[in-house]
């Protein structure tokens, strides 16, 4: 039996990697600080003093504005609930949705804590295949049978982005069927094609909507992050009440940190980050590129994770061989929450790491793939 | 209509206070940093560097050990899940409990996010009156009808502590009826009588148990805190799985900060904190002491909140008069989750504030009470 067969979900696989030598498992940002980011870290004692002196609400609004503006979300409303993380936002969303409906249409595949949290609060799930979604073929019959449609964009692990035209069509369909449209945009920072103003499109549609934004994927900020739960006035969900059951507010120090990191990103840091991810992706593809039956089908993806198709090899076998060597990646079965078999020949590699770590892991990965033919 | 009648729960009352001039509403720590704590804040950039270099698990264990040792919990096990806050731990506990039972016996009164989270995941609640609990009179009939008993100790807002003898008796009853005993010990740092080794008592009893510990009430750490979800091997709850649905881990920077603050507390900081709370409590009692029909029935309480009985005055009227003056406290109805009327003549005042703030608010409070006779 593989140790991997003991893991109940992707996060438990990630957890095994936390103390490993080469952790390319989780999608958290673990690259080195840039010079600009290092200066912000050096200023933490001053940010602390600032946080004790200024009104919490003001600090919160500034952080939101800096982050939303950085990613092109100029029409984002003021009705934003700050959470400790996007998964806490997800939990609050799920509990809220469960008060108004029993079933949700959910993109397939996607990171498994989304279906697990939705199911955990008692919701029944119906898969929406990613391909069909992007072709604009969401079945009206499906929409009549659910109270909420949940879409991750850019998706994790595929990196696929819902285009403006596609979002417009989907939002119109949701408005027509009075279904809440929820977007998880946690990875959008990596992909400029996800920087069009989603809030303008959602507002125009008149549909009921919720968006989960996440500062946690971009910067190596040691898990100091914010998940934002943004919603339309007509959402009709008890988000604010359930939020207040779980927290009074996130740390003003974290909000000041996020604001500074967003400002640094706007001043060039985001382009540097995109370049780093591009370098790491190219390195991985280059090292593995000539291994027989290995391919990178997510050609357009620019997010901080990369799926590798490993031919007829088993993802769990490869995972196991690599973990013996203290190199950690994710086997993809559990992303395919409605049909795990679809993921059995795929591995996800995290790229938000120092380039040297990605390169070292890529060579070990290559050896495991060559041995595992 | 009072603005206060718009608040659905105590956290929403606290939220209104966040930008107020004198916020004595929430039980978070908002006193000034001591010299020792200030030095720790100054060292944040070094702690950041340390967090990037050392294994996450090691940092986590050290923080737990430092905190548990500080508060006398020498028998605390290694089976501890770190959460962003005690309320996130509470949410995970509630979702876990809901998979094994439909009803919970809950201490009455207590802070309302506990009943709200338990009800929010579909659990039915049965009140256990605090007085009866402390007299050891928990009805066996009640224990036969629930899957879990939930007790806050020291309780919020009353400050009452479950004694070692009482815990031993209660744990034995829970073992006998195969009921999970859950303790929320978030306020224990303030009260040495809650520093006996709870884990030793729980283990000896053989009952199934969970404890929620919280670093968030003691130190003015800008909401950088940890909620710990500690459980017995035989708890029989899916705590680890649901925890992994919601988080991979808390920030190692926060864990290092908690460790340093715990070490500083052990070296004298905790005694200083107790002295500050004592001074603030004495100040409040002194300023209000001769107002007719005003009393402080929680005579033994040494936690960072104080209940004031305001005679026949209405807590909402007093709250309203004070909030017009930008002074915020909590009216106590919602603590009495099973019978709000019991709280209508009580107000809770937070004491973890600079003494000058408590004193200024006390004088305003006095004026409102004298006017409101």
């Amino acid at each position: 039996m593989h140790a991997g067969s003991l893991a109940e979900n992707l996060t438990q696989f990630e957890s095994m990697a936390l103390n490993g030598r080469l952790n390319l498992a989780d999608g958290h940002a673990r690259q080195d600080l840039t010079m600009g980011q290092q200066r912000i870290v050096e200023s933490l004692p001053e940010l602390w003093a600032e946080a004790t002196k200024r009104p919490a609400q003001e600090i919160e609004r500034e952080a939101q504005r800096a982050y939303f503006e950085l990613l092109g979300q100029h029409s984002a409303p003021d009705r934003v609930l700050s959470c400790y993380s996007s998964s806490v936002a997800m939990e609050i969303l799920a509990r809220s949705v469960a008060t108004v409906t029993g079933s949700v249409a959910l993109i397939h595949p996607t990171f498994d804590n989304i279906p697990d949290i939705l199911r955990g609060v008692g919701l029944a799930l119906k898969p929406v295949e990613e391909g069909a979604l992007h072709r604009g073929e969401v079945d009206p019959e499906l929409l009549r049978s659910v109270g909420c449609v949940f879409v991750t964009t850019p998706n994790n692990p595929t990196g696929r982005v819902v285009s403006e035209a596609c979002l417009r069509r989907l939002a119109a369909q949701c408005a027509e069927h009075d279904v809440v449209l929820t977007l998880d945009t946690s990875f959008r920072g990596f992909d400029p094609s996800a920087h069009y103003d989603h809030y303008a499109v959602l507002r125009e549609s008149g549909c009921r909507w919720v968006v989960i934004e996440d500062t946690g994927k971009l910067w190596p900020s040691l898990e100091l992050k914010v998940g934002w739960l943004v919603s339309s006035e007509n959402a009709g969900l008890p988000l604010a009440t359930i939020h207040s059951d779980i927290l009074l507010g996130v740390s003003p120090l974290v909000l000041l940190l996020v604001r500074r990191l967003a400002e640094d990103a706007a001043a060039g840091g985001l382009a540097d980050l995109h370049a780093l991810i591009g370098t790491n992706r190219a390195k991985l593809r280059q090292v593995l590129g000539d291994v027989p039956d290995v391919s990178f089908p997510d050609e357009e993806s620019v997010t901080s994770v990369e799926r590798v198709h490993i031919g007829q090899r088993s993802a769990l076998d490869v995972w196991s061989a690599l973990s013996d060597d203290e190199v950690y990646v994710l086997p993809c079965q559990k992303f395919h929450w409605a049909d795990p078999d679809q993921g059995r020949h795929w591995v996800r590699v995290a790229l938000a790491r120092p380039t040297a770590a990605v390169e070292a892991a890529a060579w070990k990965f290559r050896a495991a793939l060559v041995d595992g033919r």
Side-chain angles (χ1 to χ4, degrees), chain A residues 96-151:
Chain A
S96 301
V97 166
T99 65
V100 300
T101 183
S103 48
V104 172
L106 172 64
I107 192 166
H108 186 256
T110 200
F111 196 81
D112 71 347
N113 86 324
I114 297 174
D116 286 347
I117 287 176
L118 292 169
R119 283 171 173 155
V121 302
L123 291 159
L125 301 183
K126 304 188 178 189
V128 180
E129 289 300 331
E130 187 182 63
L133 177 80
H134 288 277
R135 288 190 302 274
E137 295 167 5
V138 179
D139 185 4
E141 199 54 53
L142 176 67
L143 291 176
R144 271 191 286 275
S145 73
V146 297
C148 173
V149 174
F150 193 107
V151 174

Side-chain angles (χ1 to χ4, degrees), chain A residues 203-224:
Chain A
R203 278 180 168 173
E204 272 172 37
S205 77
C207 81
R208 299 156 65 200
W209 55 262
V210 179
V211 180
I212 295 174
E213 305 264 4
D214 180 15
T215 77
K217 304 294 187 286
L218 283 179
W219 303 303
S221 56
L222 295 177
E223 310 288 327
L224 300 178

Side-chain angles (χ1 to χ4, degrees), chain A residues 32-48 220 256-257 260-261 263-265 267-269 272:
Chain A
D32 294 331
L33 291 169
T34 63
M35 295 288 281
Q37 290 165 345
Q38 184 61 46
R39 278 193 296 273
I40 296 169
V41 169
E42 297 296 336
S43 77
L44 277 172
E46 292 88 70
L47 294 183
W48 187 297
L256 283 175
L257 180 68
R260 294 295 175 97
L261 289 168
E263 288 166 354
D264 176 77
D272 293 344

Side-chain angles (χ1 to χ4, degrees), chain A residues 227-287:
Chain A
W228 275 306
L229 194 51
V230 196
S231 59
S232 61
E233 275 177 55
N234 65 348
L237 298 173
L239 296 166
T241 307
I242 294 176
H243 178 269
S244 71
D245 285 345
I246 296 182
L247 70 161
L248 177 59
V250 303
S251 170
L253 185 72
V254 174
L255 290 164
L256 283 175
L257 180 68
V258 163
R259 179 185 145 197
R260 294 295 175 97
L261 289 168
E263 288 166 354
D264 176 77
L270 195 62
D272 293 344
L273 175 61
H274 293 170
L276 173 74
I277 299 296
T279 299
N280 291 356
R281 174 170 272 111
K283 186 63 74 183
L284 180 72
R285 290 182 179 183
Q286 178 203 322
V287 172

Side-chain angles (χ1 to χ4, degrees), chain A residues 342-353:
Chain A
Q342 290 181 21
R344 73 185 184 282
H345 301 308
W346 295 83
V347 166
R348 193 195 78 169
V349 180
L351 299 175
R353 301 291 189 273

